[in-house]
Amino acid sequence: MSFFTSSTLVDICLALAGLAYLVYWFATNNNEYWSKRGVPNVKRGLLMQSIIGKKSQNEAIQELYYTFKGERYGGFFHAKRPVLMVRDPDLIHRIMVKDFTSFQDRGFHGGSNDPVTSSLFSLKGQEWRSLRYKLTPTFSAGKMKGMFDQLCKCGDGMIENIKTLARENEDVECKQFLGSFTLDVIASVAFGLEFKPGSPEFNDFVSTVNRIHKNQSPLKFIKIALLNIFPKLSGLIGARPFPKEVGDYFINLTQSTLRYRKENNIMRNDYFQLLMTLKEQEESGKDVGLTTDPSEDDTVVNQMQFTGKDSSQSKSKMFSDVAISANTFVFLSAGTESTSSIISMILYELSQHQDIQQRLQREVDSALKSQGGWSYQTIKDMTYLDQIVQEAQRLYPNIVNLQRVCVQDYIVPDSDLVIEKDVLVYIPHYSLQRDPQYYPDPELFKPERFDDNNFKPSSTYMPFGDGPRICIAMRFALMEVKTCIAKIMSEFTVKLSSKTKLPLQMKRRTLTPTVEGGIWLNFEKRKSSK
């Protein structure tokens, strides 16, 4: 059974090479890199504590964050690679936004050996800028309105499932249950699929997706961690985060869906259709881009003015079948787990704060009455729900830190430090969002912190990142989360099951923060609901 590559023999050779590397590392270690530059530092790495299962990612990042308390930044290492953790909000703003051109790459694995990971998320330089410029209109407020009906339909299916569970008074493991909803949304909106539950096609799809999300195993965590620590080596040996069969499945799925829609002249209001339009424009030479109706909401997602170059120029073909596969596949790899996770945490907090839940239910009822039913505007009118979602994202971000790669030597303002090219920069937003200096009583769930914020990022609040590389699907994710919560609140009251282990503890060696034992809830039908 292979682990890193598709060959067991190659994996064995890699293991032997790894042992040889350890000998080389001890002989030529780089431990004095930060000391020579006058940077406060520790000689250990962040990921190693998580890899060996000593600490969860949350615990490890918190410990390192407070090791550098009172400092603007501090240094540590991934193997021999120097990493700079930045704590100073002003410097964070420069790195993420103002001086973005010096820190424009994320440094994550992605390449030709694994086509479906070569999405907007992992692309670099001009290739990333060109694709971002083209894809940004696909997530405008106007396009979100067009996708809402399909998302709402998925929510209706979820509510029917909850009704069955409520009648039988069953306790529900929240994240697992919600995974079915988020998968239904992605299948419909990103891939344009309408599988019948239980059909062979549906079972194949679910089975393949499950192979992606076996990322909570320790071995999967170690593999992804090593791919990111040694990205160049990973490319050379053909290592990939997902099995080749998974990539082949989604490329074939994309090609068959493209072919079916063309042959049957099918048009849908979904993300896949928008990619098809861009592909057709590129092939015809009429590369005009998507029409859009920019709104105030879109300015948060579109910050391309900070890229400093003409973002639209590209010599490469951006919308091949493989490229479309990659930019729909990223919905699955990055969107299903993270979305079900944050919805679970919101429901947990609502179960613990019945007063907040009751106020939210009143807002949902009022918005539905005012707008005459479910619509994009109905969800948009739920401003207290906005505050609840933002506060949950502050407490429970889906990743513990943001990372950027320095792409050219950068002089840190008001210091003698030069961040050299290829140095990895960590923004510990999990710790920043729980720092009492910025959020008094940080462990308390207080939605009013975000009154009138409307998901605007700052240097101490970045659940979707900030700057030109802010999550492009931010608006879609929020629409999905808000719709799911609002649908549930319109019909049910959630209460915590005794199966949930309190206080909550996070699992170790997982890619995304995951609650030990899961969050178990009970759904009670509201007396005032139909």
Side-chain angles (χ1 to χ4, degrees):
M1 179 180 173
S2 59
F3 179 56
F4 276 105
T5 67
S6 56
S7 167
T8 302
L9 178 61
V10 173
D11 279 4
I12 293 172
C13 292
L14 286 174
L16 295 173
L19 291 174
Y21 176 80
L22 286 176
V23 174
Y24 169 76
W25 185 84
F26 279 111
T28 62
N29 73 73
N30 199 27
N31 282 353
E32 298 305 313
Y33 179 90
W34 290 119
S35 296
K36 291 177 181 178
R37 289 159 178 78
V39 175
N41 66 92
V42 294
K43 302 298 190 288
R44 65 181 184 275
L46 172 66
L47 286 176
M48 188 54 63
Q49 296 183 73
S50 299
I51 288 174
I52 64 177
K54 186 178 179 181
K55 297 179 184 294
S56 68
Q57 288 194 74
N58 308 57
E59 293 167 335
I61 198 78
Q62 280 285 73
E63 181 181 294
L64 199 55
Y65 179 79
Y66 283 105
T67 296
F68 301 127
K69 187 174 182 179
E71 304 288 349
R72 296 178 68 195
Y73 40 72
F76 63 101
F77 300 89
H78 279 340
K80 292 179 63 177
R81 187 177 188 181
V83 185
L84 188 71
M85 174 185 279
V86 180
R87 298 176 94 259
D88 174 39
D90 290 336
L91 183 54
I92 289 171
H93 180 73
R94 286 181 174 275
I95 289 170
M96 300 293 286
V97 184
K98 189 175 180 180
D99 297 331
F100 170 81
T101 52
S102 295
F103 302 93
Q104 59 185 280
D105 295 340
R106 284 196 173 107
F108 286 111
H109 175 81
S112 58
N113 58 293
D114 195 10
V116 291
T117 63
S118 299
S119 67
L120 188 68
F121 181 82
S122 57
L123 290 178
K124 303 176 181 179
Q126 182 60 46
E127 195 174 12
W128 167 80
R129 286 191 293 273
S130 298
L131 186 58
R132 176 81 187 211
Y133 177 84
K134 290 291 184 183
L135 288 182
T136 294
T138 65
F139 292 101
S140 69
K143 297 298 188 292
M144 292 301 97
K145 292 177 186 177
M147 298 179 195
F148 179 79
D149 286 345
Q150 290 184 63
L151 198 158
C152 199
K153 183 179 178 182
C154 295
D156 292 339
M158 174 194 66
I159 291 297
E160 291 304 311
N161 290 335
I162 296 178
K163 286 179 179 178
T164 301
L165 295 169
R167 282 194 297 268
E168 298 173 1
N169 199 31
E170 285 191 28
D171 292 333
V172 179
E173 200 292 298
C174 205
K175 188 173 179 181
Q176 182 177 354
F177 172 78
L178 290 167
S180 299
F181 164 72
T182 57
L183 181 57
D184 191 16
V185 170
I186 299 304
S188 176
V189 179
F191 287 91
L193 305 174
E194 290 185 329
F195 291 138
K196 292 183 179 180
S199 67
E201 296 83 3
F202 175 82
N203 292 336
D204 284 346
F205 184 75
V206 172
S207 175
T208 306
V209 171
N210 286 339
R211 296 186 69 183
I212 298 171
H213 291 307
K214 286 180 178 178
N215 62 1
Q216 303 306 328
S217 71
L219 283 178
K220 182 70 174 181
F221 172 76
I222 293 170
K223 178 179 180 179
I224 298 296
L226 293 177
L227 286 172
N228 287 322
I229 292 173
F230 306 108
K232 292 181 180 178
L233 177 62
S234 300
L236 288 174
I237 65 176
R240 56 177 69 214
F242 308 106
K244 182 178 183 299
E245 298 78 23
V246 170
D248 292 343
Y249 172 85
F250 283 105
I251 291 173
N252 291 334
L253 180 64
T254 297
Q255 292 173 335
S256 63
T257 305
L258 284 168
R259 185 167 54 252
Y260 179 79
R261 287 199 182 187
K262 284 184 178 179
E263 290 175 353
N264 294 276
N265 197 28
I266 293 173
M267 301 282 288
R268 294 183 73 205
N269 283 325
D270 57 25
Y271 177 63
F272 196 91
Q273 187 66 52
L274 297 174
L275 294 181
M276 281 188 66
T277 300
L278 290 169
K279 177 181 174 65
E280 290 166 1
Q281 289 181 0
E282 186 176 69
E283 290 175 343
S284 68
K286 299 177 181 179
D287 197 7
V288 297
L290 297 172
T291 58
T292 184
D293 48 345
S295 69
E296 184 179 346
D297 291 346
D298 297 328
T299 59
V300 174
V301 175
N302 187 6
Q303 300 184 46
M304 293 301 287
Q305 70 270 24
F306 294 105
T307 60
K309 296 183 179 180
D310 183 354
S311 302
S312 62
Q313 295 180 353
S314 176
K315 297 179 181 179
S316 61
K317 195 173 183 180
M318 290 186 287
F319 296 100
S320 64
D321 292 355
V322 172
I324 290 178
S325 297
N327 286 290
T328 48
F329 177 81
V330 74
F331 261 81
L332 283 171
S333 59
T336 50
E337 280 277 320
S338 60
T339 305
S340 62
S341 178
I342 192 60
I343 295 173
S344 298
M345 300 316 301
I346 292 170
L347 293 176
Y348 163 75
E349 290 292 350
L350 291 175
S351 74
Q352 294 294 85
H353 300 88
Q354 290 295 319
D355 57 330
I356 294 175
Q357 182 171 182
Q358 290 166 11
R359 178 178 170 184
L360 175 59
Q361 288 171 332
R362 290 194 295 270
E363 178 180 73
V364 171
D365 294 345
S366 175
L368 285 169
K369 183 178 180 180
S370 174
Q371 294 294 332
W374 294 101
S375 67
Y376 179 84
Q377 189 61 44
T378 304
I379 297 297
K380 189 175 174 61
D381 286 348
M382 298 178 189
T383 55
Y384 188 56
L385 178 54
D386 286 341
Q387 295 174 42
I388 289 171
V389 174
Q390 289 173 94
E391 176 69 345
Q393 289 181 316
R394 180 190 69 81
L395 280 168
Y396 310 107
N398 282 309
I399 52 175
V400 297
N401 62 269
L402 305 169
Q403 72 176 47
R404 296 289 185 267
V405 175
C406 186
V407 297
Q408 59 190 11
D409 288 359
Y410 177 81
I411 301 173
V412 175
D414 303 318
S415 82
D416 297 325
L417 176 64
V418 175
I419 303 177
E420 296 177 333
K421 183 180 178 181
D422 292 330
V423 165
L424 195 61
V425 176
Y426 265 31
I427 311 297
H429 75 123
Y430 173 86
S431 298
L432 288 161
Q433 291 175 185
R434 286 174 172 256
D435 191 329
Q437 180 180 353
Y438 310 116
Y439 298 95
D441 301 317
E443 301 301 320
L444 298 183
F445 186 75
K446 300 170 66 174
E448 60 269 20
R449 297 182 204 268
F450 292 93
D451 183 25
D452 202 32
N453 186 68
N454 195 27
F455 299 96
K456 184 178 180 181
S458 70
S459 297
T460 58
Y461 181 74
M462 295 173 282
F464 292 99
D466 197 5
R469 289 204 86 137
I470 193 171
C471 176
I472 193 172
M474 168 185 168
R475 289 291 165 194
F476 179 84
L478 291 173
M479 181 173 70
E480 182 180 1
V481 170
K482 289 182 64 180
T483 301
C484 178
I485 296 295
K487 286 272 185 181
I488 292 173
M489 289 294 101
S490 71
E491 304 239 9
F492 301 95
T493 294
V494 293
K495 294 187 176 180
L496 196 66
S497 164
S498 59
K499 291 183 180 180
T500 303
K501 298 176 182 178
L502 296 176
L504 299 184
Q505 297 291 328
M506 295 298 171
K507 287 184 178 181
R508 299 173 182 180
R509 288 185 295 199
T510 58
L511 292 176
T512 55
T514 304
V515 174
E516 191 73 54
I519 294 174
W520 293 81
L521 297 174
N522 187 272
F523 294 87
E524 293 185 359
K525 185 75 173 174
R526 289 178 60 193
K527 292 181 181 180
S528 59
S529 64
K530 296 180 181 179

